[in-house]
């Protein structure tokens, strides 16, 4: 309830514009615009859906002020011409249908990160300042309540601010000069009453760049120059520090906001704030506003649910980085690992006819299918041995605890839907058919497979390790398989003083894992001293050793090990087939992939039933 979080729901002013709460949906690239920078219905629906959830301020994703020269994403929107004004009027109209929600837009220019600002002529710099101001004027005319200037993440204004990219000896060599001039020119175009906020680098996270003490001085100067709110963020440093993998703790970046306070303007904290209690704690001690990015991608009703005392029904972002993989690795439209409705924003519609539906398996696919099918009015019977399926194992390795949030979400939300019936325990085909179902969904996941010697008990499947059936401490361990499961199992075992090695057939390690998470995990392997021997295949094993073969040379080598763990992969598990009724196979039972694929297929089959 609102009274449980007084800071979060206390109104605050940005300039002369009042926000009804302290929650901000920040600029997150969606790739929902067209390649020419024009908006699409999908783009507009995305932001309207976040507004419907009751967030205080929405800041539209980084938008080009100089198209195409200044763009840095393949489907980045633009606001540099009267020709696009109607697009933005459409967006502001849809968002402002929701009372109290304020709307901003981030004005951005990629700049020239590799060579810095030194080569720019003074005339070019003046032109860029004018472009920021012109875009701000267009935003005001389109109906935005304010604008935000992008001055972080290594983009143009960050390049002027940082000593790593600005070595000029003229007036533009003063780090804050460009940002100050942008603020003045926007005021000249729009008036000082039109608020301008800034997403500001306060730490470059690179040696020789902006330090936190320098960042505080910059923030003070820019607040004095008239910026109406500062979002404390990072700069030229690694993407891992702003697109954090799951393993980072909640609100870890909030200290950046805390360290630049007090200021005469509000300061916003950013960085993996997922739960209302955490948001409230940040507001009590570290910041004036909280930025809820991936949080509101996963659950656009987060603010509304908190206000109504329904925190237990929040679908928390688990940090799986599916959104980052989609946008940054694949250069495609954003998607979410736990919210399959991202990009569609459709309401679940009642089914034309109520039916009895049997769902076998309660992993992410089966749980989502049960949720959606039941919300459509079907009588749903969910059969399972373990509520959560493979999620139970997935949350065990170091830093993966947030996966448990997804299990909690489904347990809580299914408990509130009266037409879902849970059947725990082993299930047979006869158990299913006794219900006379009209449709069945097989969501029984996958099981580990062992290529050889498993029958002699010499290889322990990874699931027995993560489940705790087999305890391994202070041993020499060889793991067969260098995919995500093998790497995470290795890190888990290293936490019990084991000396671990990994062998892998192919040269690519974690090839299907999003790049930032991949880099993080490889670094952790290095810190733990866990080698990966690629181009090796498992041949045989004996008491205290394993024999592996080098694929290229054919040479065999003996590796000393007390325990061999099989993480060679998974294979779909389908316990039985049901004939004569509508029948669907989803998730890993169909093809072994990831949480996002299972949730998406569960959602889609639930909508079709």
């Amino acid at each position: 309830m609102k009274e449980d979080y007084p800071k979060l729901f206390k109104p605050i002013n940005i300039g002369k514009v009042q926000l009804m709460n302290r929650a901000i949906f920040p600029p997150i690239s969606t790739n929902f615009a067209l390649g020419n920078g024009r908006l699409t219905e999908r783009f507009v629906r995305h932001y309207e859906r976040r507004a419907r959830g009751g967030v205080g301020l929405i800041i539209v994703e980084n938008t080009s002020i100089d198209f195409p020269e200044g763009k840095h994403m393949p489907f980045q929107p633009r606001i540099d011409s009267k020709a696009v004004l109607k697009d933005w009027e459409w967006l502001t109209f849809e968002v402002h249908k929701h009372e109290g929600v304020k709307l901003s837009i981030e004005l951005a220019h990629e700049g020239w990160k590799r060579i810095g600002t030194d080569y720019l002529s003074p005339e070019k710099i003046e032109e860029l300042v004018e472009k920021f101001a012109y875009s701000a004027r267009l935003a005001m005319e389109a109906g935005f309540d304010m604008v935000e200037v992008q001055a972080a993440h290594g983009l143009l204004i960050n390049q002027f601010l940082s000593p790593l990219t600005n070595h000029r000896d003229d007036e533009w060599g003063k780090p804050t000069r460009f940002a100050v001039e942008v603020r003045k020119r926007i005021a000249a175009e729009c008036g000082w009453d039109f608020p301008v906020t800034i997403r500001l680098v306060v730490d470059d996270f690179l040696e020789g760049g902006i330090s936190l003490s320098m960042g505080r001085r910059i923030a003070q100067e820019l607040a004095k120059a008239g910026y109406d709110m500062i979002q404390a963020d990072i700069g030229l440093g690694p993407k891992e520090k702003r697109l954090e993998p799951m393993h980072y703790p909640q609100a870890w970046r909030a200290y950046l906001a805390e360290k630049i306070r007090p200021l005469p303007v509000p300061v916003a904290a950013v960085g993996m704030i997922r739960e209302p209690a955490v948001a409230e704690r940040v507001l009590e001690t570290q910041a004036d506003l909280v930025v809820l990015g991936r949080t509101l991608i996963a659950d656009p009703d987060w603010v509304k649910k908190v206000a109504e005392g329904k925190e237990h029904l929040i679908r928390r972002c688990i940090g799986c980085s599916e959104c980052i993989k989609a946008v940054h690795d694949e250069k495609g439209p954003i998607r979410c690992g736990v919210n399959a409705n991202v990009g569609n924003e459709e309401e679940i519609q009642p089914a034309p006819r109520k039916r009895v539906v049997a769902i076998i398996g309660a992993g992410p696919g089966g749980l989502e299918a049960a949720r959606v099918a039941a919300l459509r009015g079907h009588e749903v019977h969910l059969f399972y041995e373990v509520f959560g399926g493979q999620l139970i194992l997935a949350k065990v390795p170091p830093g993966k605890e947030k996966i448990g949030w997804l299990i909690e979400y489904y347990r809580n939300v299914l408990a509130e839907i009266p037409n879902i019936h849970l059947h725990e325990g082993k299930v047979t085909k006869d158990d299913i058919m006794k219900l006379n179902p009209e449709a069945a969904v097989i969501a029984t996941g996958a099981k580990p497979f062992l290529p050889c010697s498993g029958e002699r008990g010499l290889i322990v499947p990874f699931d027995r390790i993560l489940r705790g059936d087999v305890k391994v401490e202070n041993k020499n361990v060889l793991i067969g398989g260098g995919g995500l499961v093998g790497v995470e199992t290795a890190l888990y075992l290293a936490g019990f003083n084991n000396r671990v090695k990994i062998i892998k057939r192919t040269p690519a390690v974690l090839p299907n894992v999003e790049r930032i998470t991949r880099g993080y995990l490889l670094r952790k392997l290095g810190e733990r001293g866990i080698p990966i021997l690629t181009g090796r295949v498992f041949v045989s094993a004996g008491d205290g050793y394993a024999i592996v073969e080098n694929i290229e040379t054919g040479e065999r080598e003996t590796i000393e090990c007390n325990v061999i763990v099989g993480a060679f992969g998974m294979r779909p598990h389908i316990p039985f087939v049901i004939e004569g009724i509508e029948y669907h196979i989803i998730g890993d039972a169909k093809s072994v992939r990831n949480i996002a694929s299972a949730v998406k297929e569960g959602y889609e089959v639930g909508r079709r039933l």
Side-chain angles (χ1 to χ4, degrees):
M1 302 292 288
K2 285 185 178 181
E3 51 266 32
D4 295 326
Y5 303 98
K7 293 286 188 183
L8 181 60
F9 289 99
K10 184 179 180 180
I12 188 173
N13 274 41
I14 295 181
K16 294 188 176 181
V17 174
Q18 186 177 81
L19 307 186
M20 61 182 176
N21 57 56
R22 305 294 181 100
I24 298 174
F25 181 60
I28 293 181
S29 297
T30 62
N31 283 343
F32 286 160
L34 297 175
N36 63 5
R38 302 297 297 268
L39 304 191
T40 63
E41 184 177 354
R42 196 180 195 191
F43 186 102
V44 173
R45 284 206 313 262
H46 174 77
Y47 286 101
E48 183 276 332
R49 183 63 186 88
R50 268 78 217 157
R52 202 186 319 162
V55 65
L57 174 65
I58 291 174
I59 308 176
V60 174
E61 64 198 80
N62 55 95
T63 302
S64 176
I65 62 153
D66 185 16
F67 192 91
E69 182 182 63
K71 68 178 288 192
H72 66 286
M73 295 293 288
F75 299 97
Q76 185 179 9
R78 62 189 293 188
I79 189 165
D80 63 339
S81 165
K82 289 270 189 184
V84 300
L85 192 58
K86 291 292 184 184
D87 288 13
W88 295 112
E89 289 174 344
W90 174 25
L91 176 69
T92 61
F93 175 77
E94 293 296 331
V95 168
H96 283 145
K97 285 180 179 178
H98 302 282
E99 186 177 356
V101 178
K102 302 303 180 184
L103 185 62
S104 181
I105 183 170
E106 185 177 76
L107 308 179
H109 190 292
E110 181 179 32
W112 295 269
K113 187 174 181 179
R114 292 182 179 178
I115 58 176
T117 65
D118 298 352
Y119 90 101
L120 293 174
S121 68
E123 293 78 17
K124 179 64 175 178
I125 294 173
E126 292 282 359
E127 177 188 322
L128 290 168
V129 171
E130 291 298 324
K131 286 181 181 292
F132 273 99
Y134 178 67
S135 294
R137 178 58 183 256
L138 288 176
M140 185 176 72
E141 291 177 4
F144 283 90
D145 300 295
M146 63 187 76
V147 296
E148 177 165 275
V149 171
Q150 165 59 286
H153 302 174
L155 302 186
L156 178 64
I157 300 180
N158 188 165
Q159 294 163 26
F160 275 100
L161 292 169
S162 178
L164 291 173
T165 44
N166 186 351
H167 313 99
R168 300 179 70 96
D169 57 8
D170 62 1
E171 58 185 338
W172 298 104
K174 178 176 169 53
T176 57
R177 173 66 189 275
F178 187 88
V180 169
E181 289 302 312
V182 166
R183 182 64 186 97
K184 288 179 179 177
R185 286 298 301 135
I186 292 177
E189 287 287 332
C190 305
W192 284 100
D193 287 346
F194 184 68
V196 181
T197 68
I198 188 166
R199 194 181 208 180
L200 181 65
V201 49
V202 297
D203 192 332
D204 262 333
F205 277 87
L206 280 179
E207 186 176 351
I210 296 169
S211 64
L212 191 49
S213 60
M214 292 169 62
R216 185 170 193 276
R217 291 194 297 272
I218 289 170
Q220 290 170 336
E221 285 188 45
L222 296 183
K224 185 178 178 180
Y227 282 98
D228 296 286
M229 184 268 284
I230 294 175
Q231 186 183 150
D233 214 329
I234 78 158
L236 291 160
K239 278 188 174 183
E240 183 186 305
K241 298 300 180 184
R242 59 182 173 88
L243 300 173
E244 308 96 327
M246 183 186 299
H247 312 78
Y248 277 67
Q250 280 197 79
W252 78 274
R253 263 190 284 166
Y255 79 96
L256 296 174
E258 179 183 13
K259 294 300 183 182
I260 67 170
R261 298 171 83 207
L263 290 175
V265 298
V267 177
V270 63
M272 293 193 84
I273 299 169
R274 303 290 190 249
E275 297 175 293
V278 174
E280 187 74 7
R281 187 166 65 246
V282 169
L283 291 169
E284 287 172 353
T285 61
Q286 295 179 291
D288 304 291
L289 301 111
V290 287
V291 172
L292 307 175
R294 286 179 275 177
T295 299
L296 297 186
I297 297 290
D299 193 337
D301 291 321
W302 190 97
V303 175
K304 182 180 179 182
K305 288 177 180 177
V306 176
E308 296 175 350
K310 298 178 180 178
E311 300 96 317
H312 64 295
L313 299 181
I314 290 173
R315 183 172 46 220
R316 287 168 285 180
C317 167
I318 62 173
C320 68
S321 295
E322 189 69 18
C323 55
I324 296 165
K325 183 178 182 181
V327 172
H328 294 272
D329 289 4
E330 299 171 3
K331 310 302 182 187
I334 194 170
R335 59 179 180 265
C336 176
V338 299
N339 180 5
N341 205 18
V342 169
N344 300 311
E345 315 306 340
E346 301 167 332
E347 294 298 311
I348 295 174
Q349 300 298 323
R353 185 174 65 85
K354 175 182 173 180
R355 300 197 291 169
V356 176
V357 176
I359 297 176
I360 303 93
L367 293 170
E368 179 68 358
R371 181 187 76 90
V372 176
L375 289 176
R376 298 188 67 225
H378 296 305
E379 178 186 324
V380 175
H381 292 264
L382 179 62
F383 295 85
Y384 61 91
E385 292 186 43
V386 178
F387 192 97
Q390 295 292 338
L391 296 177
I392 297 294
L393 300 181
K395 69 185 181 70
V396 172
K400 301 295 290 293
E401 300 84 3
K402 295 184 184 73
I403 287 178
W405 292 350
L406 190 56
I407 303 173
E408 291 176 26
Y409 164 73
Y410 282 115
R411 194 178 294 281
N412 292 338
V413 77
L414 297 190
E416 301 211 355
I417 305 175
N419 48 311
I420 289 185
H421 309 277
L422 304 183
H423 305 269
E424 184 176 2
K426 288 188 178 296
V427 60
T428 66
K429 182 177 177 179
D430 288 342
D431 295 327
I432 305 299
M433 299 312 293
K434 286 176 184 177
L435 298 171
N436 293 318
E438 296 179 62
V441 178
I442 299 293
T444 44
K447 291 186 177 295
F449 75 90
L450 301 178
C452 58
S453 298
E455 70 280 4
R456 291 190 285 144
L458 296 175
I459 302 178
V460 181
F462 77 89
D463 60 332
R464 299 195 65 208
I465 298 290
L466 297 182
R467 196 177 290 116
D469 297 340
V470 178
K471 305 289 185 182
V472 181
E473 296 185 35
N474 198 29
K475 302 288 186 181
N476 294 319
V477 180
L478 179 66
I479 294 182
L484 183 61
V485 169
V487 167
E488 290 184 337
T489 303
L491 291 170
Y492 171 77
L493 286 169
F496 294 93
N497 297 317
N498 293 296
R499 298 162 294 282
V500 184
K501 290 181 179 179
I502 298 173
I503 61 167
K504 190 176 189 304
R505 173 186 291 271
T506 60
V509 180
L510 302 172
N512 298 317
V513 176
E514 172 267 326
R515 283 185 296 176
I516 295 172
T517 300
R518 178 179 182 271
Y520 174 89
L521 291 172
L522 291 177
R523 188 174 73 249
K524 289 300 176 183
L525 289 177
E527 291 172 1
R528 286 288 194 172
I530 300 173
I532 303 179
L533 309 177
T534 60
R536 300 326 200 268
V537 292
F538 184 84
V539 176
S540 62
D543 186 13
Y545 70 90
I547 297 176
V548 300
E549 182 176 296
N550 187 309
I551 293 175
E552 288 189 5
T553 65
E555 294 180 1
R556 295 188 173 186
E557 57 185 303
T558 300
I559 298 177
E560 179 184 345
C561 54
N562 309 108
V563 178
I564 304 169
V565 177
F568 298 101
M570 306 274 281
R571 286 180 176 164
H573 171 64
I574 300 175
F576 46 76
V577 175
I578 300 175
E579 299 95 358
I581 62 173
E582 183 181 340
Y583 178 74
H584 304 272
I585 302 175
I586 65 171
D588 283 359
K590 178 181 179 182
S591 174
V592 178
R593 286 153 297 161
N594 58 13
I595 292 172
S597 299
V599 170
K600 184 174 188 294
E601 290 178 3
Y603 177 82
E604 290 177 347
V605 79
R607 285 181 58 239
R608 293 197 305 270
L609 286 169

